[in-house]
mmCIF file with all atom_site columns, all heavy atoms in Angstrom:
data_model
loop_
_atom_site.group_PDB
_atom_site.id
_atom_site.type_symbol
_atom_site.label_atom_id
_atom_site.label_alt_id
_atom_site.label_comp_id
_atom_site.label_asym_id
_atom_site.label_entity_id
_atom_site.label_seq_id
_atom_site.pdbx_PDB_ins_code
_atom_site.Cartn_x
_atom_site.Cartn_y
_atom_site.Cartn_z
_atom_site.occupancy
_atom_site.B_iso_or_equiv
_atom_site.pdbx_formal_charge
_atom_site.auth_seq_id
_atom_site.auth_comp_id
_atom_site.auth_asym_id
_atom_site.auth_atom_id
_atom_site.pdbx_PDB_model_num
ATOM 1   N N   . SER A 1 248 ? -3.011 -70.733 25.354 1.00 98.00 ? 259 SER A N   1
ATOM 2   C CA  . SER A 1 248 ? -2.605 -69.332 25.155 1.00 98.00 ? 259 SER A CA  1
ATOM 3   C C   . SER A 1 248 ? -3.301 -68.358 26.102 1.00 98.00 ? 259 SER A C   1
ATOM 4   O O   . SER A 1 248 ? -3.801 -67.307 25.689 1.00 98.00 ? 259 SER A O   1
ATOM 5   C CB  . SER A 1 248 ? -2.840 -68.915 23.691 1.00 98.00 ? 259 SER A CB  1
ATOM 6   O OG  . SER A 1 248 ? -2.242 -69.841 22.811 1.00 98.00 ? 259 SER A OG  1
ATOM 7   N N   . HIS A 1 249 ? -3.340 -68.698 27.363 1.00 98.00 ? 260 HIS A N   1
ATOM 8   C CA  . HIS A 1 249 ? -3.794 -67.732 28.390 1.00 98.00 ? 260 HIS A CA  1
ATOM 9   C C   . HIS A 1 249 ? -2.567 -66.904 28.762 1.00 98.00 ? 260 HIS A C   1
ATOM 10  O O   . HIS A 1 249 ? -1.712 -67.337 29.542 1.00 98.00 ? 260 HIS A O   1
ATOM 11  C CB  . HIS A 1 249 ? -4.371 -68.458 29.603 1.00 98.00 ? 260 HIS A CB  1
ATOM 12  C CG  . HIS A 1 249 ? -5.637 -69.193 29.317 1.00 98.00 ? 260 HIS A CG  1
ATOM 13  N ND1 . HIS A 1 249 ? -6.815 -68.549 28.957 1.00 98.00 ? 260 HIS A ND1 1
ATOM 14  C CD2 . HIS A 1 249 ? -5.927 -70.516 29.311 1.00 98.00 ? 260 HIS A CD2 1
ATOM 15  C CE1 . HIS A 1 249 ? -7.768 -69.437 28.757 1.00 98.00 ? 260 HIS A CE1 1
ATOM 16  N NE2 . HIS A 1 249 ? -7.250 -70.637 28.950 1.00 98.00 ? 260 HIS A NE2 1
ATOM 17  N N   . LEU A 1 250 ? -2.437 -65.735 28.147 1.00 98.00 ? 261 LEU A N   1
ATOM 18  C CA  . LEU A 1 250 ? -1.167 -64.996 28.216 1.00 98.00 ? 261 LEU A CA  1
ATOM 19  C C   . LEU A 1 250 ? -1.278 -63.748 29.099 1.00 98.00 ? 261 LEU A C   1
ATOM 20  O O   . LEU A 1 250 ? -2.371 -63.229 29.331 1.00 98.00 ? 261 LEU A O   1
ATOM 21  C CB  . LEU A 1 250 ? -0.746 -64.583 26.795 1.00 98.00 ? 261 LEU A CB  1
ATOM 22  C CG  . LEU A 1 250 ? -0.643 -65.747 25.781 1.00 98.00 ? 261 LEU A CG  1
ATOM 23  C CD1 . LEU A 1 250 ? -0.252 -65.198 24.415 1.00 98.00 ? 261 LEU A CD1 1
ATOM 24  C CD2 . LEU A 1 250 ? 0.318  -66.824 26.258 1.00 98.00 ? 261 LEU A CD2 1
ATOM 25  N N   . ARG A 1 251 ? -0.126 -63.285 29.535 1.00 98.00 ? 262 ARG A N   1
ATOM 26  C CA  . ARG A 1 251 ? -0.010 -62.019 30.275 1.00 98.00 ? 262 ARG A CA  1
ATOM 27  C C   . ARG A 1 251 ? 0.491  -60.957 29.316 1.00 98.00 ? 262 ARG A C   1
ATOM 28  O O   . ARG A 1 251 ? 1.372  -61.216 28.489 1.00 98.00 ? 262 ARG A O   1
ATOM 29  C CB  . ARG A 1 251 ? 0.984  -62.165 31.429 1.00 98.00 ? 262 ARG A CB  1
ATOM 30  C CG  . ARG A 1 251 ? 0.326  -62.152 32.808 1.00 98.00 ? 262 ARG A CG  1
ATOM 31  C CD  . ARG A 1 251 ? 1.331  -62.303 33.919 1.00 98.00 ? 262 ARG A CD  1
ATOM 32  N NE  . ARG A 1 251 ? 2.373  -61.256 33.916 1.00 98.00 ? 262 ARG A NE  1
ATOM 33  C CZ  . ARG A 1 251 ? 3.136  -61.023 34.995 1.00 98.00 ? 262 ARG A CZ  1
ATOM 34  N NH1 . ARG A 1 251 ? 2.990  -61.740 36.086 1.00 98.00 ? 262 ARG A NH1 1
ATOM 35  N NH2 . ARG A 1 251 ? 4.053  -60.074 34.946 1.00 98.00 ? 262 ARG A NH2 1
ATOM 36  N N   . TRP A 1 252 ? -0.039 -59.751 29.470 1.00 97.00 ? 263 TRP A N   1
ATOM 37  C CA  . TRP A 1 252 ? 0.250  -58.646 28.537 1.00 97.00 ? 263 TRP A CA  1
ATOM 38  C C   . TRP A 1 252 ? 1.741  -58.378 28.418 1.00 97.00 ? 263 TRP A C   1
ATOM 39  O O   . TRP A 1 252 ? 2.218  -57.931 27.380 1.00 97.00 ? 263 TRP A O   1
ATOM 40  C CB  . TRP A 1 252 ? -0.466 -57.382 29.010 1.00 97.00 ? 263 TRP A CB  1
ATOM 41  C CG  . TRP A 1 252 ? 0.103  -56.849 30.314 1.00 97.00 ? 263 TRP A CG  1
ATOM 42  C CD1 . TRP A 1 252 ? 0.033  -57.430 31.550 1.00 97.00 ? 263 TRP A CD1 1
ATOM 43  C CD2 . TRP A 1 252 ? 0.869  -55.658 30.490 1.00 97.00 ? 263 TRP A CD2 1
ATOM 44  N NE1 . TRP A 1 252 ? 0.686  -56.680 32.485 1.00 97.00 ? 263 TRP A NE1 1
ATOM 45  C CE2 . TRP A 1 252 ? 1.210  -55.575 31.872 1.00 97.00 ? 263 TRP A CE2 1
ATOM 46  C CE3 . TRP A 1 252 ? 1.287  -54.643 29.644 1.00 97.00 ? 263 TRP A CE3 1
ATOM 47  C CZ2 . TRP A 1 252 ? 1.960  -54.519 32.394 1.00 97.00 ? 263 TRP A CZ2 1
ATOM 48  C CZ3 . TRP A 1 252 ? 2.035  -53.591 30.172 1.00 97.00 ? 263 TRP A CZ3 1
ATOM 49  C CH2 . TRP A 1 252 ? 2.354  -53.548 31.538 1.00 97.00 ? 263 TRP A CH2 1
ATOM 50  N N   . ASP A 1 253 ? 2.479  -58.685 29.474 1.00 97.00 ? 264 ASP A N   1
ATOM 51  C CA  . ASP A 1 253 ? 3.910  -58.318 29.508 1.00 97.00 ? 264 ASP A CA  1
ATOM 52  C C   . ASP A 1 253 ? 4.821  -59.538 29.429 1.00 97.00 ? 264 ASP A C   1
ATOM 53  O O   . ASP A 1 253 ? 6.006  -59.452 29.703 1.00 97.00 ? 264 ASP A O   1
ATOM 54  C CB  . ASP A 1 253 ? 4.212  -57.522 30.794 1.00 97.00 ? 264 ASP A CB  1
ATOM 55  C CG  . ASP A 1 253 ? 3.780  -58.299 32.059 1.00 97.00 ? 264 ASP A CG  1
ATOM 56  O OD1 . ASP A 1 253 ? 3.088  -59.338 31.915 1.00 97.00 ? 264 ASP A OD1 1
ATOM 57  O OD2 . ASP A 1 253 ? 4.151  -57.867 33.162 1.00 97.00 ? 264 ASP A OD2 1
ATOM 58  N N   . GLN A 1 254 ? 4.220  -60.704 29.053 1.00 97.00 ? 265 GLN A N   1
ATOM 59  C CA  . GLN A 1 254 ? 5.061  -61.911 28.986 1.00 97.00 ? 265 GLN A CA  1
ATOM 60  C C   . GLN A 1 254 ? 4.753  -62.689 27.696 1.00 97.00 ? 265 GLN A C   1
ATOM 61  O O   . GLN A 1 254 ? 4.072  -63.724 27.735 1.00 97.00 ? 265 GLN A O   1
ATOM 62  C CB  . GLN A 1 254 ? 4.811  -62.811 30.205 1.00 97.00 ? 265 GLN A CB  1
ATOM 63  C CG  . GLN A 1 254 ? 5.335  -62.239 31.516 1.00 97.00 ? 265 GLN A CG  1
ATOM 64  C CD  . GLN A 1 254 ? 5.072  -63.187 32.705 1.00 97.00 ? 265 GLN A CD  1
ATOM 65  O OE1 . GLN A 1 254 ? 4.276  -64.127 32.627 1.00 97.00 ? 265 GLN A OE1 1
ATOM 66  N NE2 . GLN A 1 254 ? 5.734  -62.913 33.814 1.00 97.00 ? 265 GLN A NE2 1
ATOM 67  N N   . PRO A 1 255 ? 5.220  -62.205 26.563 1.00 97.00 ? 266 PRO A N   1
ATOM 68  C CA  . PRO A 1 255 ? 4.978  -62.944 25.315 1.00 97.00 ? 266 PRO A CA  1
ATOM 69  C C   . PRO A 1 255 ? 5.682  -64.300 25.334 1.00 97.00 ? 266 PRO A C   1
ATOM 70  O O   . PRO A 1 255 ? 6.763  -64.424 25.916 1.00 97.00 ? 266 PRO A O   1
ATOM 71  C CB  . PRO A 1 255 ? 5.575  -62.039 24.235 1.00 97.00 ? 266 PRO A CB  1
ATOM 72  C CG  . PRO A 1 255 ? 6.556  -61.165 24.951 1.00 97.00 ? 266 PRO A CG  1
ATOM 73  C CD  . PRO A 1 255 ? 6.066  -61.000 26.362 1.00 97.00 ? 266 PRO A CD  1
ATOM 74  N N   . PRO A 1 256 ? 5.058  -65.334 24.741 1.00 97.00 ? 267 PRO A N   1
ATOM 75  C CA  . PRO A 1 256 ? 5.728  -66.646 24.690 1.00 97.00 ? 267 PRO A CA  1
ATOM 76  C C   . PRO A 1 256 ? 6.983  -66.575 23.814 1.00 97.00 ? 267 PRO A C   1
ATOM 77  O O   . PRO A 1 256 ? 7.012  -65.811 22.845 1.00 97.00 ? 267 PRO A O   1
ATOM 78  C CB  . PRO A 1 256 ? 4.678  -67.560 24.071 1.00 97.00 ? 267 PRO A CB  1
ATOM 79  C CG  . PRO A 1 256 ? 3.629  -66.691 23.497 1.00 97.00 ? 267 PRO A CG  1
ATOM 80  C CD  . PRO A 1 256 ? 3.726  -65.344 24.107 1.00 97.00 ? 267 PRO A CD  1
ATOM 81  N N   . ARG A 1 257 ? 7.982  -67.395 24.159 1.00 95.00 ? 268 ARG A N   1
ATOM 82  C CA  . ARG A 1 257 ? 9.239  -67.378 23.402 1.00 95.00 ? 268 ARG A CA  1
ATOM 83  C C   . ARG A 1 257 ? 9.109  -68.247 22.146 1.00 95.00 ? 268 ARG A C   1
ATOM 84  O O   . ARG A 1 257 ? 8.801  -69.419 22.230 1.00 95.00 ? 268 ARG A O   1
ATOM 85  C CB  . ARG A 1 257 ? 10.375 -67.928 24.291 1.00 95.00 ? 268 ARG A CB  1
ATOM 86  C CG  . ARG A 1 257 ? 11.752 -67.911 23.648 1.00 95.00 ? 268 ARG A CG  1
ATOM 87  C CD  . ARG A 1 257 ? 12.849 -68.179 24.681 1.00 95.00 ? 268 ARG A CD  1
ATOM 88  N NE  . ARG A 1 257 ? 12.737 -69.507 25.252 1.00 95.00 ? 268 ARG A NE  1
ATOM 89  C CZ  . ARG A 1 257 ? 13.340 -70.597 24.740 1.00 95.00 ? 268 ARG A CZ  1
ATOM 90  N NH1 . ARG A 1 257 ? 14.036 -70.486 23.614 1.00 95.00 ? 268 ARG A NH1 1
ATOM 91  N NH2 . ARG A 1 257 ? 13.230 -71.770 25.313 1.00 95.00 ? 268 ARG A NH2 1
ATOM 92  N N   . ASP A 1 258 ? 9.276  -67.617 20.993 1.00 97.00 ? 269 ASP A N   1
ATOM 93  C CA  . ASP A 1 258 ? 9.297  -68.327 19.699 1.00 97.00 ? 269 ASP A CA  1
ATOM 94  C C   . ASP A 1 258 ? 8.024  -69.132 19.449 1.00 97.00 ? 269 ASP A C   1
ATOM 95  O O   . ASP A 1 258 ? 8.055  -70.341 19.156 1.00 97.00 ? 269 ASP A O   1
ATOM 96  C CB  . ASP A 1 258 ? 10.520 -69.244 19.606 1.00 97.00 ? 269 ASP A CB  1
ATOM 97  C CG  . ASP A 1 258 ? 10.694 -69.780 18.177 1.00 97.00 ? 269 ASP A CG  1
ATOM 98  O OD1 . ASP A 1 258 ? 10.045 -69.227 17.255 1.00 97.00 ? 269 ASP A OD1 1
ATOM 99  O OD2 . ASP A 1 258 ? 11.416 -70.786 18.007 1.00 97.00 ? 269 ASP A OD2 1
ATOM 100 N N   . LEU A 1 259 ? 6.891  -68.476 19.552 1.00 98.00 ? 270 LEU A N   1
ATOM 101 C CA  . LEU A 1 259 ? 5.598  -69.148 19.325 1.00 98.00 ? 270 LEU A CA  1
ATOM 102 C C   . LEU A 1 259 ? 5.537  -69.764 17.935 1.00 98.00 ? 270 LEU A C   1
ATOM 103 O O   . LEU A 1 259 ? 5.164  -70.930 17.765 1.00 98.00 ? 270 LEU A O   1
ATOM 104 C CB  . LEU A 1 259 ? 4.452  -68.149 19.533 1.00 98.00 ? 270 LEU A CB  1
ATOM 105 C CG  . LEU A 1 259 ? 3.051  -68.616 19.147 1.00 98.00 ? 270 LEU A CG  1
ATOM 106 C CD1 . LEU A 1 259 ? 2.664  -69.862 19.929 1.00 98.00 ? 270 LEU A CD1 1
ATOM 107 C CD2 . LEU A 1 259 ? 2.037  -67.511 19.382 1.00 98.00 ? 270 LEU A CD2 1
ATOM 108 N N   . THR A 1 260 ? 5.955  -69.021 16.920 1.00 98.00 ? 271 THR A N   1
ATOM 109 C CA  . THR A 1 260 ? 5.865  -69.545 15.559 1.00 98.00 ? 271 THR A CA  1
ATOM 110 C C   . THR A 1 260 ? 6.715  -70.803 15.392 1.00 98.00 ? 271 THR A C   1
ATOM 111 O O   . THR A 1 260 ? 6.258  -71.828 14.887 1.00 98.00 ? 271 THR A O   1
ATOM 112 C CB  . THR A 1 260 ? 6.321  -68.480 14.541 1.00 98.00 ? 271 THR A CB  1
ATOM 113 O OG1 . THR A 1 260 ? 5.553  -67.289 14.745 1.00 98.00 ? 271 THR A OG1 1
ATOM 114 C CG2 . THR A 1 260 ? 6.129  -68.971 13.115 1.00 98.00 ? 271 THR A CG2 1
ATOM 115 N N   . GLY A 1 261 ? 7.952  -70.722 15.870 1.00 98.00 ? 272 GLY A N   1
ATOM 116 C CA  . GLY A 1 261 ? 8.841  -71.886 15.764 1.00 98.00 ? 272 GLY A CA  1
ATOM 117 C C   . GLY A 1 261 ? 8.293  -73.065 16.536 1.00 98.00 ? 272 GLY A C   1
ATOM 118 O O   . GLY A 1 261 ? 8.399  -74.225 16.109 1.00 98.00 ? 272 GLY A O   1
ATOM 119 N N   . ASN A 1 262 ? 7.674  -72.788 17.662 1.00 98.00 ? 273 ASN A N   1
ATOM 120 C CA  . ASN A 1 262 ? 7.099  -73.868 18.468 1.00 98.00 ? 273 ASN A CA  1
ATOM 121 C C   . ASN A 1 262 ? 5.925  -74.514 17.749 1.00 98.00 ? 273 ASN A C   1
ATOM 122 O O   . ASN A 1 262 ? 5.843  -75.753 17.658 1.00 98.00 ? 273 ASN A O   1
ATOM 123 C CB  . ASN A 1 262 ? 6.656  -73.302 19.826 1.00 98.00 ? 273 ASN A CB  1
ATOM 124 C CG  . ASN A 1 262 ? 6.225  -74.390 20.794 1.00 98.00 ? 273 ASN A CG  1
ATOM 125 O OD1 . ASN A 1 262 ? 6.922  -75.388 20.962 1.00 98.00 ? 273 ASN A OD1 1
ATOM 126 N ND2 . ASN A 1 262 ? 5.075  -74.200 21.409 1.00 98.00 ? 273 ASN A ND2 1
ATOM 127 N N   . LEU A 1 263 ? 5.039  -73.703 17.193 1.00 98.00 ? 274 LEU A N   1
ATOM 128 C CA  . LEU A 1 263 ? 3.909  -74.271 16.436 1.00 98.00 ? 274 LEU A CA  1
ATOM 129 C C   . LEU A 1 263 ? 4.434  -75.119 15.274 1.00 98.00 ? 274 LEU A C   1
ATOM 130 O O   . LEU A 1 263 ? 3.915  -76.200 14.978 1.00 98.00 ? 274 LEU A O   1
ATOM 131 C CB  . LEU A 1 263 ? 3.004  -73.151 15.912 1.00 98.00 ? 274 LEU A CB  1
ATOM 132 C CG  . LEU A 1 263 ? 2.247  -72.314 16.933 1.00 98.00 ? 274 LEU A CG  1
ATOM 133 C CD1 . LEU A 1 263 ? 1.405  -71.256 16.222 1.00 98.00 ? 274 LEU A CD1 1
ATOM 134 C CD2 . LEU A 1 263 ? 1.369  -73.183 17.826 1.00 98.00 ? 274 LEU A CD2 1
ATOM 135 N N   . ARG A 1 264 ? 5.480  -74.602 14.635 1.00 98.00 ? 275 ARG A N   1
ATOM 136 C CA  . ARG A 1 264 ? 6.037  -75.297 13.464 1.00 98.00 ? 275 ARG A CA  1
ATOM 137 C C   . ARG A 1 264 ? 6.569  -76.689 13.840 1.00 98.00 ? 275 ARG A C   1
ATOM 138 O O   . ARG A 1 264 ? 6.363  -77.660 13.120 1.00 98.00 ? 275 ARG A O   1
ATOM 139 C CB  . ARG A 1 264 ? 7.169  -74.482 12.836 1.00 98.00 ? 275 ARG A CB  1
ATOM 140 C CG  . ARG A 1 264 ? 6.693  -73.358 11.970 1.00 98.00 ? 275 ARG A CG  1
ATOM 141 C CD  . ARG A 1 264 ? 7.640  -73.066 10.791 1.00 98.00 ? 275 ARG A CD  1
ATOM 142 N NE  . ARG A 1 264 ? 7.011  -72.093 9.904  1.00 98.00 ? 275 ARG A NE  1
ATOM 143 C CZ  . ARG A 1 264 ? 7.281  -70.761 9.946  1.00 98.00 ? 275 ARG A CZ  1
ATOM 144 N NH1 . ARG A 1 264 ? 8.189  -70.283 10.801 1.00 98.00 ? 275 ARG A NH1 1
ATOM 145 N NH2 . ARG A 1 264 ? 6.652  -69.910 9.138  1.00 98.00 ? 275 ARG A NH2 1
#
Side-chain angles (χ1 to χ4, degrees):
S259 308
H260 293 295
L261 305 179
R262 250 180 58 163
W263 68 292
D264 55 350
Q265 290 181 345
R268 182 168 64 90
D269 191 14
L270 172 59
T271 305
N273 188 48
L274 294 180
R275 281 212 172 98

